[in-house]
Amino acid sequence: MKRMSIHKRISITKRGFSIIKQYCPGLAQGKAVYELINSIQPFISVWFTAQIINEISSLRRPKKLLIYILFVSLFNFVCAVLKSIINHVCNEKESQMWSWFGKIFSDKQISLDFVDLENAAIQHQRQEAEENLYMFGNGLAQLVWGVPTLVRASVNILASLVMTVSLFVSQSGNKVIDNPLWILIILVCIALGGLSNSKATIKENEVFMKWCQDTVWFNRAFMFFGRELYMSPEKAKDVRIYEQNAIAEKVLDKLIQHDSEKQTAIFKMSIYPAIAYIIIGLANAVCYLFIAAKALFGAFGVGSIVQYVTVLSRLGEGLQDLMYILSDNEVYCTHLQKLFEYLDIPNHMYLGSLTVEKRDDNEYYVEFKNVSFKYPNTETYVLKHVNLKFKVGETLAVVGMNGSGKTTFIKLMCRLYDPTEGEILLNGVNIQKYNYNEYMSIFSVVFQDFRLFSFSLGQNISTSAAYDYEKVRECLKKAGFDECLDSMANGLETFLYKDFDADGVEISGGEAQKLALARALYKDTPFIILDEPTAALDPLSEYTVYSKLNEIAGDKTAIYISHRLASCRFCEQIAVFHAGEIVQKGTHEELLADSKGKYYELWNAQAQYYK
Ligand code: ADP
């Protein structure tokens, strides 16, 4: 495996910290301060303890002893209080950390070009980075957890070095013991301990990384078969009826086997830290012997033995921690890199800056000029040389058989995709030149596969937390939902679905369609587009909606997409789509008059069902 350069690791780590700062402000800093206090505290305590023991074993001055005891007690008390406060704040922040890390993905998804949401490669990339989040904290959690280790290591090394100077400077009178070569021997011993620990970590990581790569598929399978399949209420019916849990159990068996192989490998890997501990033990023994020998020959008092033993072992721990964090950093940088590759997916859609003119006369018109389109990564044109012009106030019906390109036509008009060839104009200007959000704000669309959300009814219709009660009621009435609303005890406060409220209501497909229609009406835009708006409605409701279409649309441009011609016959203009082309345009009467036309054929084919 190719190792990452130090330069790259530094830049990835820096970026990781800036993301943590953005999404979990204060968490890394809080952990750093906590650990700073936590690791300085023992050094101060051990220094005071050494002074107290030295005082007791030599001059025994009560006043001095009292001052030492008071200082050390006060210091420990202040540290304990500070640590407790910071710990509570950090724990609270850390408990929310995972949700905030999840938000990183939501923010990126919403900023992606719509076309990338359907790009399998990009969504695969997201999935990989997201799995990475839950399995390995995406590197971000490891960065957070690494902060205390880094602070502890730095404090341990610096403070230990300062506090061991006197160990080497003090003279015992014995030439062998006072030989400056001991400084080198002791430092080599401590460094050996640190190095062996680092080697063990690298070996552990190598095994771990190999399993990480092998586990990508298993992780995904586990997420799906161990969780998603059972958690989602939408899947529950089919899981039960088709006993999908049997398949899931089989996959889970494999996962368990895979996991036990992994455990065996991890168990074998524990040989490396064991060897490291032996080396560290031996290095410590040499240090202990040196300190004991120096004290024996009278270089310092008994109290200082406690100080030097503690401080040297802290120096060893500091070096081990530092080595550990450096090798661990290499592992989480690879996880972070995966996350950043996803976050760095660029936006390709051209975003103009023109404002959409707010016209008092509502004189907007949209024109498709020789528009052809194929979906990204596909070869076939699903729209071919579409030419169509319509203005606000008109009702346009887009009819045609399934798969003839009607919905795609709408998606292009709303700029979810850009045409492969040709252009779409709003008041004579290519729609790409308009500010994207402003352009979107002139459309209300009820897509065939619309979604309502687990909020209150009022919030669903207004799509905001605060809303105009009367306007919501009016829109629900126009959409034919008024009777249903009257039967709801909590009225507009009634929650849809049970995610956030045990009393939330489950609604039928037809009721949902009425709500989606009301939502589109509430947005009150110059264009209202309804894609198969009555597909889920019963015949009576369908009749009601269609007979009120003109009233519903008011002075807006209403575009209806339907494969049911009877529903669209009252529209001022009807465009007949067939295999991606507009094959006919006109009013119902004009189109029906052409007995060789597609409209005539479709009308007669459907008419027999209405007779
Ligand atoms: P209609 O609304 O008339 O039923 P659509 O516009 O939904 O037709 O689909 C037209 C064609 O485009 C169909 O052949 C469909 O399979 C294809 N299509 C629709 N959406 C996508 C997509 N996201 N990616 C690739 N092909 C698609």
Side-chain angles (χ1 to χ4, degrees), residues 118 375 378 382 401-408 411 417 448:
E118 292 188 336
Y375 279 98
T378 61
V382 293
M401 297 195 301
N402 286 336
S404 57
K406 305 181 296 293
T407 303
T408 308
K411 287 188 192 163
Y417 299 92
Q448 267 183 66

Side-chain angles (χ1 to χ4, degrees), residues 62-183:
K63 208 170 155 195
K64 201 131 202 198
L65 265 174
L66 197 66
I67 292 175
Y68 283 143
I69 291 170
L70 273 180
F71 260 107
V72 74
S73 309
L74 187 68
F75 172 76
N76 282 334
F77 170 74
V78 172
C79 286
V81 171
L82 281 178
K83 276 182 0 187
S84 160
I85 296 171
I86 301 172
N87 195 28
H88 277 105
V89 175
C90 282
N91 281 349
E92 178 59 23
K93 282 184 184 287
E94 197 169 335
S95 67
Q96 294 167 356
M97 177 177 84
W98 297 101
S99 312
W100 286 111
F101 287 168
K103 175 88 168 42
I104 298 174
F105 289 89
S106 326
D107 288 349
K108 180 63 188 174
Q109 282 292 105
I110 196 95
S111 73
L112 278 179
D113 286 345
F114 180 81
V115 21
D116 286 337
L117 297 182
E118 292 188 336
N119 181 325
I122 286 181
Q123 290 313 311
H124 177 81
Q125 207 177 336
R126 174 191 53 78
Q127 216 176 344
E128 246 187 19
E130 220 171 358
E131 278 160 15
N132 211 317
L133 169 69
Y134 297 112
M135 299 294 164
F136 314 108
N138 236 325
L140 289 175
Q142 285 154 306
L143 267 190
V144 171
W145 295 327
V147 167
T149 319
L150 186 63
V151 172
R152 193 171 55 236
S154 314
V155 171
N156 276 347
I157 293 170
L158 282 177
S160 315
L161 284 177
V162 170
M163 289 178 78
T164 37
V165 172
S166 55
L167 167 67
F168 296 111
V169 173
S170 58
Q171 297 293 314
S172 67
N174 181 300
K175 277 200 177 125
V176 181
I177 301 289
D178 291 339
N179 193 328
L181 203 63
W182 277 107
I183 303 179

Side-chain angles (χ1 to χ4, degrees), residues 114-115 118 373-378 380-383 398-411 417 448 531-532 561-563 577 579-580:
F114 180 81
V115 21
E118 292 188 336
F373 177 72
K374 49 184 178 183
Y375 279 98
N377 308 316
T378 61
T380 359
Y381 278 92
V382 293
L383 288 183
V398 177
V399 302
M401 297 195 301
N402 286 336
S404 57
K406 305 181 296 293
T407 303
T408 308
F409 167 78
I410 299 302
K411 287 188 192 163
Y417 299 92
Q448 267 183 66
D531 191 351
E532 300 285 1
I561 305 173
S562 185
H563 60 271
F577 274 70

Side-chain angles (χ1 to χ4, degrees), residues 399 565 574 576 584 588 591-592 597-603:
V399 302
L565 305 198
I574 300 175
V576 186
Q584 275 183 297
H588 170 70
L591 294 172
L592 209 54
K598 189 77 195 165
Y599 190 84
Y600 183 88
E601 178 195 326
L602 290 173
W603 178 265

Side-chain angles (χ1 to χ4, degrees), residues 38 118 175 294 297 425 513:
N38 198 37
E118 292 188 336
K175 277 200 177 125
K294 256 201 142 164
F297 285 98
L425 311 172
Q513 201 154 34

Side-chain angles (χ1 to χ4, degrees), residues 318-388:
L319 281 174
Q320 287 161 28
D321 278 348
L322 190 68
M323 303 283 189
Y324 171 81
I325 201 98
L326 288 178
S327 42
D328 200 39
N329 171 272
E330 191 169 350
V331 179
Y332 55 68
C333 273
T334 55
H335 296 311
L336 281 170
Q337 198 178 18
K338 270 204 167 29
L339 171 69
F340 296 159
E341 279 166 10
Y342 163 69
L343 294 182
D344 289 340
I345 294 168
N347 291 77
H348 294 292
M349 201 176 229
Y350 176 79
L351 299 177
S353 56
L354 279 187
T355 49
V356 175
E357 201 183 352
K358 301 272 179 298
R359 298 186 66 116
D360 293 337
D361 55 7
N362 233 3
E363 276 291 311
Y364 295 96
Y365 72 89
V366 170
E367 183 176 3
F368 273 63
K369 256 184 153 176
N370 207 21
V371 169
S372 299
F373 177 72
K374 49 184 178 183
Y375 279 98
N377 308 316
T378 61
E379 291 308 317
T380 359
Y381 278 92
V382 293
L383 288 183
K384 289 168 244 170
H385 310 291
V386 172
N387 286 292
L388 192 70

